[in-house]
Amino acid sequence: MTSPTVQPTGATSPLSVFADIASNARSTRASLAIDAERALLDGIPHEMLSFSAGEEILADGEALGGTYLMLSGWAFRYKALMDGRRQIIGFVLPGDLCSSWIGGMGAMSHGVRSLTISRVARIDRDVIFQRLVENSALIERFRQVAAQEHTILGAWLLNIGQRKAPERIAHLFCELATRMRKIGLSPVDDGYEVPLTQQDLADALGLTSVHVNRVLQKLRERHFIDFRRGMISIQDVPALCAYVEFKDGYLSH
Amino acid sequence: MTSPTVQPTGATSPLSVFADIASNARSTRASLAIDAERALLDGIPHEMLSFSAGEEILADGEALGGTYLMLSGWAFRYKALMDGRRQIIGFVLPGDLCSSWIGGMGAMSHGVRSLTISRVARIDRDVIFQRLVENSALIERFRQVAAQEHTILGAWLLNIGQRKAPERIAHLFCELATRMRKIGLSPVDDGYEVPLTQQDLADALGLTSVHVNRVLQKLRERHFIDFRRGMISIQDVPALCAYVEFKDGYLSH
DNA sequence: CGCAGAGTTGAGAAATATCAAATTTAGTGG
DNA sequence: CCACTAAATTTGATATTTCTCAACTCTGCG
């Protein structure tokens, strides 16, 4: 269950909320529990929420009264059909927003659910508005974040619509590897921690978990990707990126 | 080829650019050539571009110096792989932006190509910036447009990732019917003009044109949807929407 | 009339899903 | 450390969907 803990502070903090995250998080830490919060939340009144794995962070259709920033842990956004089928439409990593800013403060158009233990900062709408007025550069930063999300959605559409299972899986891992490196996760040695089950992969890629399993085995045999139990290692990252025409440009902002 | 015609004007015009489009376009006109421009471009300096069917309006990777507003005609956004596979990631109808505002003025993350003869207004970045400063409500309006696009992308992901061919096709037509009604296209009698080929549908839905053809035949036999030669008629719209769990809420702004 | 693009058809192959049952793994409490 | 359990992974057999390729037909247009 959510265990909100209010920790309001008063000082001002320019646009550090997002601008600094990239630079500051480069402190190569190995765990998924990297806390981006230090640099982020100084001086911004917020409420801290904690979730255990598998909890609903935001429900589809829920009305928003603020912005939710993922501090540590992973989550995913998803849309579900009545008969149980569900599509994961994106992953939320530390430093990402659970609720896209462009969604405004209206109703969520998808749900958000935690994959691991995670901590989320909830920043009230009024605080956000005030910051936006004070600092117009923040708008630009929000816009960039939204643009990246938009681009990722397009990349996913291309991935699911046009590629076959092996390429789909590979492309997703390229994206995740790139994003993790950017925020300082990923020990680089011989594997990243990617807290996804094969079922999660299936839901994200429009496949069946059985099929994902079989394809993963082939990718393993061919020494392309070795993913098991939430741990992934990629033999030759550049080769894999070339294989699936992965361009990391859109993740570089 | 593009035949730019400059028509600069000076007067101010608040946020009519988008706010008015819905109301004003309700002048139920039957053709695809409905011109939203009257209400839109009064007093906004712009450049008018014309395209014939099948032309590249904006290329993937192209640097933008302004915003492109579709006035009349249809286009689609797409991403392509090197081997020729391509995924249509959205359709651009009159009143839509070819280049999402949130993309900023950077590089396009996808291409835009016309489906019919179409006219596009290009509004220079400086003009846009000026308007944004003068009128902060315009930002809100842009944000809403971006949010809708975002939501549509999510809906497409769910569609392609989880649904089988018949449902996919049906859902797309629900979306298009709703959007067309909203901007005043669609004579309602017994059919809409939807200027798509079966190949276009295939590229949008992650299917093969052969398969689209066969599924369309079945949908026709079962009197669900009759689509041929760019003309569609749906027997029972509400029934179809229910069939594919289509919710039009996200298109109502 | 004759072409080009779009639509249609058929046969067969490939990819992916479905169902049901093992098997392995990660935790948990003793 | 062991036994027990629930979740995740793996496997096998089979069904369904979707693709591929190639030919043929239709339609609109000059």
Side-chain angles (χ1 to χ4, degrees):
Chain A
M1 292 270 81
T2 86
S3 51
T5 310
V6 187
Q7 297 185 346
T9 337
T12 39
S13 148
L15 77 169
S16 70
V17 183
F18 301 98
D20 294 1
I21 195 167
S23 56
N24 208 301
R26 290 207 194 288
S27 56
T28 317
R29 290 251 323 264
S31 112
L32 288 174
I34 184 168
D35 289 358
E37 86 208 78
R38 264 156 301 148
L40 301 184
L41 293 172
D42 287 353
I44 294 187
H46 64 278
E47 184 181 343
M48 191 74 82
L49 308 175
S50 297
F51 300 89
S52 54
E55 273 190 287
E56 189 88 349
I57 296 179
L58 290 166
D60 195 354
E62 179 172 343
L64 254 29
T67 293
Y68 293 74
L69 175 64
M70 177 67 68
L71 298 176
S72 66
W74 284 45
F76 61 88
R77 310 170 205 278
Y78 71 98
K79 291 173 82 84
L81 293 173
M82 287 184 311
D83 64 6
R85 285 176 289 180
R86 78 172 181 188
Q87 175 67 38
I88 291 179
I89 62 175
F91 292 105
V92 181
L93 272 54
D96 292 333
L97 294 178
C98 294
S99 54
S100 173
W101 167 65
I102 59 167
M105 298 298 167
M108 291 288 291
S109 63
H110 58 256
V112 181
R113 184 174 286 267
S114 64
L115 282 161
T116 65
I117 289 181
S118 45
R119 293 197 301 149
V120 177
R122 181 189 179 286
I123 305 166
D124 201 76
R125 67 184 301 166
D126 296 333
V127 175
I128 294 285
F129 283 164
Q130 182 198 338
R131 286 295 189 292
L132 287 176
V133 172
E134 290 171 358
N135 188 337
S136 68
L138 190 56
I139 294 182
E140 174 60 14
R141 187 63 202 155
F142 268 121
R143 208 220 75 238
Q144 277 182 23
V145 172
Q148 172 169 313
E149 262 176 46
H150 187 274
T151 308
I152 291 179
L153 283 176
W156 278 45
L157 226 27
L158 175 64
N159 203 29
I160 296 183
Q162 300 300 322
R163 288 195 258 250
K164 302 206 180 294
E167 302 168 272
R168 280 191 219 178
I169 294 177
H171 191 276
L172 175 58
F173 283 138
C174 286
E175 179 201 312
L176 292 177
T178 303
R179 290 173 62 189
M180 289 175 71
R181 194 175 319 117
K182 196 176 134 200
I183 59 175
L185 300 173
S186 80
V188 182
D189 28 12
D190 68 334
Y192 307 32
E193 237 178 293
V194 175
L196 304 176
T197 67
Q198 295 183 355
Q199 181 63 59
D200 294 329
L201 285 175
D203 288 343
L205 297 169
L207 297 169
T208 291
S209 69
V210 173
H211 197 235
V212 165
N213 179 284
R214 288 175 168 135
V215 174
L216 279 177
Q217 289 178 52
K218 289 213 172 121
L219 290 172
R220 210 175 289 151
E221 287 166 14
R222 294 174 191 174
H223 303 291
F224 280 154
I225 296 174
D226 191 314
F227 174 80
R228 47 189 128 188
R229 273 175 263 120
M231 197 60 120
I232 186 181
S233 84
I234 301 176
Q235 305 293 321
D236 185 345
V237 177
L240 196 67
C241 290
Y243 170 51
V244 294
E245 295 179 42
F246 177 80
K247 322 233 172 42
D248 65 355
Y250 66 97
L251 298 174
S252 326
H253 277 293
Chain B
M1 293 267 76
T2 85
S3 52
T5 310
V6 187
Q7 297 185 346
T9 337
T12 39
S13 147
L15 79 168
S16 70
V17 183
F18 300 99
D20 293 2
I21 196 168
S23 56
N24 208 300
R26 289 207 195 288
S27 57
T28 319
R29 290 250 323 259
S31 111
L32 287 176
I34 185 169
D35 289 358
E37 83 207 82
R38 265 156 299 151
L40 301 184
L41 294 172
D42 288 351
I44 295 187
H46 63 279
E47 185 180 343
M48 190 73 83
L49 308 174
S50 297
F51 299 90
S52 53
E55 273 191 288
E56 189 88 349
I57 296 178
L58 290 167
D60 196 354
E62 180 172 343
L64 291 173
T67 294
Y68 293 75
L69 174 64
M70 177 67 69
L71 298 176
S72 65
W74 284 46
F76 61 89
R77 309 169 204 278
Y78 71 99
K79 291 172 82 84
L81 293 173
M82 286 185 312
D83 63 6
R85 285 176 287 180
R86 77 172 180 187
Q87 175 67 38
I88 292 179
I89 62 174
F91 292 105
V92 181
L93 272 53
D96 291 333
L97 294 178
C98 294
S99 54
S100 174
W101 167 64
I102 59 166
M105 297 299 165
M108 290 288 292
S109 64
H110 58 256
V112 181
R113 184 173 286 267
S114 63
L115 282 161
T116 66
I117 290 181
S118 45
R119 295 197 302 149
V120 177
R122 180 188 179 287
I123 305 166
D124 200 76
R125 66 185 301 166
D126 296 334
V127 176
I128 295 285
F129 283 165
Q130 184 198 336
R131 286 296 188 291
L132 287 177
V133 172
E134 289 171 358
N135 188 339
S136 68
L138 190 55
I139 294 182
E140 173 60 14
R141 186 66 202 153
F142 269 119
R143 208 220 74 237
Q144 277 182 21
V145 171
Q148 172 170 315
E149 263 177 45
H150 188 275
T151 308
I152 291 180
L153 283 177
W156 279 44
L157 227 27
L158 175 63
N159 203 29
I160 295 182
Q162 299 300 324
R163 288 195 259 251
K164 304 209 179 292
E167 303 167 88
R168 280 191 218 180
I169 294 178
H171 191 277
L172 176 58
F173 282 138
C174 286
E175 177 200 314
L176 291 177
T178 303
R179 290 173 62 188
M180 289 174 70
R181 194 174 320 118
K182 195 176 135 201
I183 60 176
L185 300 172
S186 80
V188 182
D189 28 12
D190 69 334
Y192 308 34
E193 237 178 292
V194 175
L196 303 176
T197 66
Q198 295 184 354
Q199 181 63 59
D200 294 329
L201 286 176
D203 288 343
L205 297 170
L207 298 169
T208 291
S209 68
V210 172
H211 197 233
V212 166
N213 179 285
R214 287 175 170 134
V215 173
L216 279 177
Q217 289 178 51
K218 289 212 173 121
L219 290 172
R220 210 175 288 151
E221 287 166 14
R222 294 174 192 175
H223 303 291
F224 279 153
I225 296 175
D226 192 313
F227 175 79
R228 47 189 127 188
R229 271 175 264 119
M231 197 59 121
I232 187 182
S233 84
I234 302 177
Q235 305 292 321
D236 185 345
V237 178
L240 196 67
C241 291
Y243 170 50
V244 294
E245 296 180 41
F246 176 79
K247 321 233 174 41
D248 65 355
Y250 65 97
L251 299 174
S252 327
H253 277 293

